[in-house]
Amino acid sequence: MSATYRVAVRALCDFTARQGDLDHRFTPAPSAREGMEGHTLVTSRRGEDYLAELPLSGKFEGLIVTGRADGFDPTANHLEEIKTHRGSLERMADNQRALHWAQVKVYGALLCAERALEQITLTLVYLDIASGKETPISQEATADELQAFFADQCQRFLAWAEQEAGHRQDRDSGLQTLRFPHAAFRPGQRELAEDVYKAASTGRCLLAQAPTGIGKTMGTLFPMLSAMPRQQLDRIAFLTMKTPGRRLALDALATLRTSDETLPLRVLELVAREKACEYPDRACHGESCPLAAGFYDRLPAARQAAVDQGWLDRDALREVALAHDVCPYYLGQELARWADVIVGDVNHWFDSHALLHGLAQANDWRTGVLVDEAHNLIERARGMYSAELDQQRFNRVRRAAPKALSRPLGRLSRQWQAVIKEAGLEEEGDPRKPAYRLLTVLPDKLVTAAQQVGAAITDHLGEHPEDASLELQELLFEALAFCRLAERFGEHSLCDLTRYGRGRAVLGLRNLIPADFLAARFNAAHSVVLFSATLNPAHYYRDLLGLQENTVWREVASPFTACQLEVRIRTDISTRFRDRDASIDPIVAAMAQQYQRKSGHYLAFFSSFAYLEAALARFREAHPEVPVFSQTRGMPEAQREEFLARFAPGGEGIGFAVLGGAFAEGIDLPGDRLIGAFIATLGLPPFNDFNEALKARLTARFGQGDDYTYRIPGMIKVVQAAGRVIRSPEDQGVVVLMDDRFAQASVRALLPRWWGA
């Protein structure tokens, strides 16, 4: 093997020693924290000479194998691999045990070679998390036997390693001569590309505000790919908020591949499990799903076929998977280890169980991360690090739960009642007008009871897997997620209680400042580029996302000019809540006047469905001759597509929509498909207890409570909605901002400079 290839012991064994079925039936397993605590417990029981986390490495031809053995007793010449478990050890699958033996044997081979040992005792130590009991399983092995096993594993991996090393060389060689796929850059696109390349070259984070229409997707992918060989990047992750963003990224990558057909670039699209599953009505294990049966036996051929193909969007990946009778979703999870560019949702890097972040950490990848529509990341991250406990679900489970769980479920029920009583909500709350309270402290007794319920359910299902109903599992996952976040509860989050009626309360842990969770995710990447048409002001994103101090903010000059967009501010209208009823007539009149001045397609945005419905009814009554159509509550995807289809070239009419909703960003209606927008709101979040608590926290932390809670998030929505009008340098249109506050200097400062408003 000409090139050196480095692989971790675990990755080597995952590749060579897995066999049999894919089995994702629920099996109670220790959490990552419990696993670490279990390792610490076992090693604390050993003698003074015991060596924990012993680093080992060895070489086989061009392959370097590295890892850390869990523990070695040099006096007894005894090597241990520690595995934590819940429930009966007899239920552990044979293929899982075989994988564990493979790992300890490889470590044994490395240790014998390093210390010139002739033989050694190998032990798998299984620790029951619930009882603390150790079950050791030992075997004696000679150095020659272990070396032969090590050589066999390496030999089985070597062809793949050689292929991967060769692919890396060819990929980097091709990327060094990568050319921009179009005859010229669009206005502003070169500037954006240069900033992205500099960020990748210096290992920094870049906030890039760039207007719609300059080709941001290609303007970020091309320079990051160009930097890939020079900065020795292992992977690039292009992360989006919605499916259309993934499609744009794949289209750009397809253009790059077409422009250089010799470029050996592996591209993978990651999709959600529910969208990739071929048998959604079947359980995910070999006894139920034919694509899970023998998955690991057929995986090598499917994996090879996939990397040979290189282009693996959703359809291509499915085709390869079904040709080899394996699950498309789990084939995609495997190929995330071997693709060069992964296109997926932002949760793949930023949430608490992120696949790509986990792989990057385990394999020490240098990763370039691109985040599209990054203005949404704050709210998305808040959702990732928030959790709820639902009393109604708990009550349903309690009524049907096994008797063995009655005691811990009873304790939790009593704590629910205590929290509701302490919050003064015993007699309040109904579905139409739920009662709400912010809790001044975390209800520790309820959290403790929830932890005990989680442990009791987990232990019970370990012994009685036949009781694993869907609702019991959902309660378990809910309790575990809530308790994990409760362990990190601090000033970045708050706790609240909402009661919808008797037995229908929801306890929430709400993240307010995602920075405390995301900072480590940004630090784990070599370089991160966050880009959007609205990333102003920079300090808002730096503070709330936890970006590094050396983060660079750039604003790409707009190719659009003020003469393309007429911006009118109606200072005679107030859309404040107290003025809503009085505002409807002047809003309707302003819309009708503009439509009479120039008919065509318009979008009208309101702060709520109630406001929208009132204005729509008045407009229909006053101007029945004007075609109107409306977004509705809970609008299904098919109806959303019908709504957008109304904006056909040459057509007329006004579409009524909610600001911040499905039609306020991420849609493209160029030319005369949309010639104007009416925005009857500043988009300010509602004034309520939660937002006032958020304001207080942000004031204490950053001194910018009002701006960070209300004004900036509201204006981001306004600018995004208005951005639907001008999509290219040829477009012409009008935006009517209907509220006197749009004339305030602090508000106007948040509008795009090219508007000239």
Side-chain angles (χ1 to χ4, degrees), residues 460-472:
H460 178 78
L461 294 183
E463 298 300 327
H464 303 280
E466 67 278 3
D467 289 342
S469 68
L470 179 61
E471 284 209 320
L472 193 61

Side-chain angles (χ1 to χ4, degrees), residues 51 116 254 270 325 349 397 641 680:
L51 303 175
L270 288 175
D325 293 323
W349 186 266
V397 172
E641 291 175 357

Side-chain angles (χ1 to χ4, degrees), residues 606-629:
F606 297 84
S607 57
S608 67
F609 278 106
Y611 201 9
L612 178 156
E613 289 159 0
L616 177 63
R618 189 72 55 85
F619 193 95
R620 279 178 167 154
E621 179 185 352
H623 304 282
E625 75 284 357
V626 179
V628 293
F629 43 100

Side-chain angles (χ1 to χ4, degrees), residues 38-54:
H39 277 65
T40 301
L41 175 62
V42 171
T43 57
S44 70
R45 294 170 174 173
R46 303 300 186 253
E48 292 183 2
D49 294 335
Y50 189 81
L51 303 175
E53 292 290 311
L54 179 64

